Amino acid sequence: MKDIYIADLANFDEGKLFDGFFLVLAKQQRLTKSNKPYLNLILGDKTGQLEGRVWEPADPRIAKEFDRGDIVKARGSASKFDDRLQMKVDQLRLAQPGEVEKSDLLPSTTYDVAQMWRQLLSFVESIANPDLKLLLATILNDPQFAEPYREAPAAKQLHHAWLGGLLEHVVSLCTLADRVAPHYPLLDRDLLMTGVILHDIGKIRELSWGTGFEYTIEGMLLGHIQIGAALAEKTIDSLPNFPAKLKTLVLHMVLSHHGKLEFGSPKLPMIPEALVLNFLDDLDAKMQAVAGEFEKSAREGKGPNELTNKVWALDNRQLLNTKRWLGEP
Amino acid sequence: MKDIYIADLANFDEGKLFDGFFLVLAKQQRLTKSNKPYLNLILGDKTGQLEGRVWEPADPRIAKEFDRGDIVKARGSASKFDDRLQMKVDQLRLAQPGEVEKSDLLPSTTYDVAQMWRQLLSFVESIANPDLKLLLATILNDPQFAEPYREAPAAKQLHHAWLGGLLEHVVSLCTLADRVAPHYPLLDRDLLMTGVILHDIGKIRELSWGTGFEYTIEGMLLGHIQIGAALAEKTIDSLPNFPAKLKTLVLHMVLSHHGKLEFGSPKLPMIPEALVLNFLDDLDAKMQAVAGEFEKSAREGKGPNELTNKVWALDNRQLLNTKRWLGEP
Amino acid sequence: MKDIYIADLANFDEGKLFDGFFLVLAKQQRLTKSNKPYLNLILGDKTGQLEGRVWEPADPRIAKEFDRGDIVKARGSASKFDDRLQMKVDQLRLAQPGEVEKSDLLPSTTYDVAQMWRQLLSFVESIANPDLKLLLATILNDPQFAEPYREAPAAKQLHHAWLGGLLEHVVSLCTLADRVAPHYPLLDRDLLMTGVILHDIGKIRELSWGTGFEYTIEGMLLGHIQIGAALAEKTIDSLPNFPAKLKTLVLHMVLSHHGKLEFGSPKLPMIPEALVLNFLDDLDAKMQAVAGEFEKSAREGKGPNELTNKVWALDNRQLLNTKRWLGEP
Amino acid sequence: MKDIYIADLANFDEGKLFDGFFLVLAKQQRLTKSNKPYLNLILGDKTGQLEGRVWEPADPRIAKEFDRGDIVKARGSASKFDDRLQMKVDQLRLAQPGEVEKSDLLPSTTYDVAQMWRQLLSFVESIANPDLKLLLATILNDPQFAEPYREAPAAKQLHHAWLGGLLEHVVSLCTLADRVAPHYPLLDRDLLMTGVILHDIGKIRELSWGTGFEYTIEGMLLGHIQIGAALAEKTIDSLPNFPAKLKTLVLHMVLSHHGKLEFGSPKLPMIPEALVLNFLDDLDAKMQAVAGEFEKSAREGKGPNELTNKVWALDNRQLLNTKRWLGEP
Amino acid sequence: MKDIYIADLANFDEGKLFDGFFLVLAKQQRLTKSNKPYLNLILGDKTGQLEGRVWEPADPRIAKEFDRGDIVKARGSASKFDDRLQMKVDQLRLAQPGEVEKSDLLPSTTYDVAQMWRQLLSFVESIANPDLKLLLATILNDPQFAEPYREAPAAKQLHHAWLGGLLEHVVSLCTLADRVAPHYPLLDRDLLMTGVILHDIGKIRELSWGTGFEYTIEGMLLGHIQIGAALAEKTIDSLPNFPAKLKTLVLHMVLSHHGKLEFGSPKLPMIPEALVLNFLDDLDAKMQAVAGEFEKSAREGKGPNELTNKVWALDNRQLLNTKRWLGEP
Amino acid sequence: MKDIYIADLANFDEGKLFDGFFLVLAKQQRLTKSNKPYLNLILGDKTGQLEGRVWEPADPRIAKEFDRGDIVKARGSASKFDDRLQMKVDQLRLAQPGEVEKSDLLPSTTYDVAQMWRQLLSFVESIANPDLKLLLATILNDPQFAEPYREAPAAKQLHHAWLGGLLEHVVSLCTLADRVAPHYPLLDRDLLMTGVILHDIGKIRELSWGTGFEYTIEGMLLGHIQIGAALAEKTIDSLPNFPAKLKTLVLHMVLSHHGKLEFGSPKLPMIPEALVLNFLDDLDAKMQAVAGEFEKSAREGKGPNELTNKVWALDNRQLLNTKRWLGEP
């Protein structure tokens, strides 16, 4: 486990020495005004990022061979420049395998992954339709899908942008759909739950999360909607006697879950289950974004009478934390 | 009670005589090609509308004094013209007071109004915040608000466009909000429920439903959002010591519930409760529109493999009834 | 072969008897004002549609058993009503198998299908990349794809909405792409031609053309873009060692060919070949629409100084036929 | 009165000492690269803002207790950094009450407030309809409204963003409406003038102008349109026998004066007076923005052949000062 | 002068014979259900249009040679069909030259053209800048421009769509600009008045008004903005020493007067005079549309509590006639 | 010829002295923190721009009299600051006439201008219609048009933004149109080629390229579409007997070539030739932008697996270089 996290440095004494493990997110060679070469680094861990400066790259205590994507151990001191934290790096070496958990270096869900996975499987268990249940079980029991499903973030940024974020988002959505489904008798609950569990599965290939969260080229050119639909279709085609109508419906739910053509869904929701999936997905993503903004405001020291910053995911609206404003617990 | 409804006539023998009570929705004097005057009527009851033709307006069996908005008893026979049903009216007189229920002549909720009202009051009862509870109780105990609240349609057309539709929509929304609220701990449930119960209250003055559903001039020029906010504000100002912050939040929920400026909300939702209100209101209206379309498709004799007509309230999408297509019960 | 086509009737003597084969596009039972039942039909052939009226459905010369989708032989006379042609049907019987070609009853390409198919195959032959060539050959040699590819219309309406329209559009586009590709050295011609040949292949399942041109339910819920991408992906996965990068590029071209999210492409063109495919596809469709409008104007007797009607596919613009206006040949 | 204003510093000798009174708009503690703490201030007066640096915050000549919103007297010298003026602060103390006018520290109208107020009252005097005249007199004679009406800016930024700006904008609009009204006989001049005088009155609560121009939370959540309509409604309801129709019309004018839903009006103008109010309000705001831009260009030393910068309030257009370009007086 | 106008027929006894002069707007030969040929005409005069039916085209009292664009005298009787007035024509002959004024047959301004022309010239007279005054005088004294300027409608439909409408609109706009200009000292009044007088001059070639109001092909392909700018440029180039800067400004005003690219102006207003021209032009057109709608509502017998129909030129808004609703004179 | 270009400096030793000729794009006097005046320059040549700092402006080796737009010879050394290259200038003097080519100081086409001009003339030669050929020959033989036509950039930035860019773009478009025209028999090739050659001719006055690429005031207020149409119209009017219809068509092509009102065309393409011109113009501009981005990515050292930066001219899309990704030559 790491001893010190980037988020801790905000309250750290300037100039005091510390050690830490970091993921190297960027590395550039530059020159000072007096033409001396130095290294400019972006270092990250699960709590944030900071800029690092190696003023003496030739110092024997600075590793010569390291690059973007490597995990390093660095020693130095912090200072502020234009309100941004900066680290002056005195020593730096590659981390040994096992010295630090990857989950310490990328932002990660605060929930227990194993428990969320059990919740997900119990939702699958609750499905009555045998074809849909078999489809989901086939996918979730296949390690090539299950493993990244447990790890993937739900987004590069915006909402649930952390390791385990995809699973966290889907489990939240399952719970929500489970509450809403009985309210509308015309809904086929099994189909809705299937849509919830599969709608974002393409993200396991759209994104990469080894060293920071990035889009893959496949992800950029095809998108998680198409990747997810293809993945579902391939699994369905491998099952004996999966009903053709059900296949069309499952694929339609994956395709239409963004709800609008301009959000990248090639089809609008045309069945009640797809309509509800789109609403709940959107609501859950936005509520998570709201919660994240409120936490950020608190972290930044905003008072209860202050609105959040403008939130990109909510049309640049500013939000007010009702409970805090009213002084509620 | 009425004996025969307009919806029944579709399967009625053409030419066979029948009696019925109708609301006169329009009345025009016209001339035949041979210059004989006749009356053209639009007659309505709670199941629909049909055109009526009085070819002999001078016949003593035809009342001379009746107008738009009157309830009449008419005798005649039906026939189809260009797929639209038409009634040839042989006799017509004004209905006696008490001969027929107004609720038979305008479309009306299929739920029990008294029971829905009790449900609504029990949701008020469930509110912990004493100021909000008092506000709601004050409004719902005031007959000048409570009576039209029980009667009003939720819209002129589109969704819940029937007597009692407003109450039906709000009770459905209370139930739904009650299910969703616990899922998001940052929500102030009391405030959300207050917003649900008050958001559309301006419709009691925006619409008139005496003879068909119409907008009032006040409704056209001010809109139910402004009327509702003013009504809430006036009641709040009559209560002693209602907290100013809470007043701002309640008014904000009414103002922002359409969710977008272009839908007539002068403010976007800026608190989590307003965000959720907007989502659930929109979802409930759309799901009711979907259910209504599926019923209409069945009534029109469409098969399970046919999509509905284009639905205006859903961006002119056509919808597929999943359960029916799959042959589910 | 049919003797008389609907388009011929415009100049036919009103009231004169004629025989013809027609596809029944709609059939409804109605009542006259005097309550006599009659049949209202929509009859079609490859040149157009007309309304048919059977005033004496009980006449023994009128077949009792026929329905939407059947081919019938009818005798009667034509007249105009409100500028629309109408046929009074005196006799009507089901057509015998072989009496008439289906291609006479639905609008059909004016080009030779066999020859267009050979052109298409020669474009495949011109591709140097062995993987792409094998992919195309595999699809075009598979009767389950090749047969509908030769038959399908390119659209339900708008452009190339006739049997063979898909093939005609693709061959035109191949020729055009072949002219344009050498102008831009950065284009990979093989990839561009592959995109041209596969971009609309999903239409073979999105549309049905047995009795009129309709969308299938699969087509409505998934769309030809997704169907086509899935079809390409499945074929690619069946080929040994098809390069993964090439697969991503081929699928991207199919997905992005509509060029805008709001036109149903889930991804915008992000490679030069996809950009060019989108431009040429759009240009070819619009030029065909222009040509069709000019023919329609001529058919309707418009003079060279008159603009066409408003063209839906061109933002409701009206167009001027330059050559005709200038009196050029 | 202040001796030196921020706008004067542009032409001031760099490094020369000066004194000044300033409003503290922001205050932050920071560290130099060598880890020495310093203070970073934003100082403002009615002519602009500048950054201030206190390099020796421990110096006894620097007050220890001052904060955002305080008025201070500071001594120091100016220099340019990246084209922005910066003040090196050597001494700083809190201002004594009465040492400086608040109107010197926030931008303020250049017109005489008392005279504008008399003009406004004379427009009220010119209204013939006794109900409307009484409504306006009641509001303008109530110090709780009249006082902030005389002080408020018309906006946080964009147009008339200075103390007295609301009054200046309304008086300009009264004069303009007075010129335009006789041109259209169908206009009810009294109603139009009432709309002009009340349309922006909600800004007295939407904005705060004690220390810089800010939105209040009430202003953010409700907006000046709703606040103004509520204020008008409450006053109307306090008057005996104010006609109901007139109330609806007055409220409609306030609600609709932004002219478009997407600009925050919940209703479009539906009466001629509201239509004209929206046009003139928009025109006056834009013409003021144009005048302001021309002044800014002159201040920045632009020549007569140069366009202004892009103007946000005018769709990022650049404007040309016609008279100056033509060399007219 | 005509004795009877189409607008009078609404209150005319059905079946009673009358004579009238009409412009033939359309002429079609058709067949009755019993295959008898008849003529269907659209007849117009300055008050409206009606459909005419010649059931006996072979009758010697019916002229054989007449066509679209001819003026005819017709005798017959009126009746209503589906609420539209229809004329049964018994006799019809070509009108003699001089029997009727063209201004009786097309809608025409209700103002005195000669007097409006004098007003226009006096506005030119009020211009101080000699170059602009010479430009305007040159154009308005040239019969090739002046004559159509006095006759042209301002639009095919929408606003001022009648003979003399262009002049009426420009004179109204001159008066309005004359009132507004002094309110903004930064405006160059001469330039503004020049823009007002020239902005729509291209309409004299964009429209034709010989027989109904139509677009010319030149008008469709180039538009009145380009035609007007070219006309102004050509005249300017014919004047000695017209300043180049002034030319650019005059052309800019013509080009930008629609105010938005999507309304067909290739440039947005970038000088204050162009901004004001766009506002006043838009306001005047809309106020005329409002006045026209109010007249139409009165003609159609709508009561003071009824809104107008939806007005296309005002985003399909419905409008309320304030004065009439309030019972004002 | 210049010895060293700005683009070369990226790989130049920091601190080593060099000489170069540069265009002065901006010149500002500033103060150091210690209040010493220095000069800040933007220097450009055909390969890019860099910031220059003259720390000792009083040094006799620094010219006193030079300004924006001058060509200078400067000696100094380069260093990097925040990844941007900066030049420390030790000596600076005005260049002698003839010392350096203007084409070395502004970005310039890489093609041979004389040869492109011959290509253009041969396209004119290929036109059969004598009126169109005479029109083009008249313009291209007039030095007042021909000279700037050979020099002008096609844009201020975006595509073909270099000297000779207009000619390069037009010649590319001629070649492309020549390939496409035969594919659509309804096209009038002569008219299309005329439109291609004239569509952007207004740019010779819309832009100035003496010292950097700028819009002229005429260009800002009128735009190249209007300037080009006026230029074409004036030339046409100077030719004897140029057919009126052909004039309308030529002007329509210039006016409509941007294809959309919101892109500044006052008319949409309404003839097939204008439609094709708009498509090919757009395609060619975009393909040039793509090629430019690919070169930029290579220059910036991006690998074959990296997408380009977001491209403004392509809706902020990122692009993938297909051939490079596939490892093709």
Side-chain angles (χ1 to χ4, degrees), chain D residues 283-294:
Chain D
L283 175 61
D284 197 61
K286 287 203 166 63
M287 286 303 282
Q288 196 284 326
V290 169
E293 279 301 321
F294 287 165

Side-chain angles (χ1 to χ4, degrees), chain A residues 10-46:
Chain A
N11 306 309
F12 205 71
D13 288 352
E14 306 240 351
K16 188 171 151 188
L17 280 184
F18 65 90
D19 295 302
F21 288 98
F22 303 102
L23 186 65
V24 179
L25 296 166
K27 175 187 176 191
Q28 270 189 313
Q29 189 144 351
R30 291 198 189 153
L31 285 167
T32 64
K33 291 188 189 177
S34 48
N35 283 335
K36 257 184 49 116
Y38 70 94
L39 293 178
N40 197 53
L41 309 174
I42 310 286
L43 302 172
D45 68 15
K46 70 173 187 185

Side-chain angles (χ1 to χ4, degrees), chain C residues 22-27 41-45 48-50 67-70 105-106 211-214:
Chain C
F22 304 102
L23 186 64
V24 179
L25 295 167
K27 176 188 175 190
L41 308 174
I42 309 286
L43 302 172
D45 68 15
Q49 303 182 0
L50 90 167
D67 215 338
R68 183 171 183 277
D70 285 335
L105 297 177
L106 284 175
T211 57
F213 300 157
E214 302 287 347

Side-chain angles (χ1 to χ4, degrees), chain C residues 1 17-18 30 93 104-105 146 157 172 201 223 246 290 325:
Chain C
M1 207 203 110
L17 282 183
F18 64 89
R30 289 196 191 158
R93 67 166 171 80
D104 277 339
L105 297 177
Q157 44 198 128
S172 172
I201 199 168
L246 217 45
V290 169
W325 194 48

Side-chain angles (χ1 to χ4, degrees), chain C residues 178-317:
Chain C
D178 199 37
R179 288 172 173 275
V180 168
H183 189 60
Y184 295 110
L186 59 74
L187 288 176
D188 180 323
R189 180 189 178 277
D190 290 347
L191 188 57
L192 175 61
M193 297 310 285
T194 304
V196 166
I197 293 170
L198 293 184
H199 78 292
D200 268 351
I201 199 168
K203 289 192 172 171
I204 65 179
R205 289 199 191 137
E206 187 191 36
L207 297 167
S208 71
W209 51 88
T211 57
F213 300 157
E214 302 287 347
Y215 286 103
T216 61
I217 287 198
E218 186 190 3
M220 287 295 279
L221 293 191
L222 305 182
H224 73 271
I225 284 186
Q226 159 67 15
I227 296 171
L231 192 156
E233 182 160 16
K234 202 163 190 172
T235 308
I236 286 172
D237 289 350
S238 76
L239 299 177
N241 304 322
F242 195 94
K245 286 181 179 179
L246 217 45
K247 173 178 167 180
T248 295
L249 294 173
V250 169
L251 296 183
H252 174 69
M253 294 196 77
V254 175
L255 291 181
S256 68
H257 83 266
H258 280 191
K260 295 202 178 184
L261 299 185
E262 55 268 43
F263 297 165
S265 266
K267 283 287 169 184
L268 302 185
M270 294 172 73
I271 57 175
E273 294 77 15
L275 192 81
V276 170
L277 171 58
N278 167 240
F279 261 89
L280 299 186
D281 183 31
D282 197 11
L283 175 61
D284 197 61
K286 286 204 167 62
M287 286 303 281
Q288 195 285 327
V290 169
E293 279 301 319
F294 286 165
E295 281 165 30
K296 201 172 138 222
S297 290
R299 265 202 322 274
E300 289 173 353
K302 293 202 168 188
N305 291 320
E306 285 179 281
L307 300 169
T308 65
N309 295 330
K310 295 184 174 182
V311 186
W312 190 88
L314 283 158
D315 317 307
N316 281 323
R317 248 173 282 176

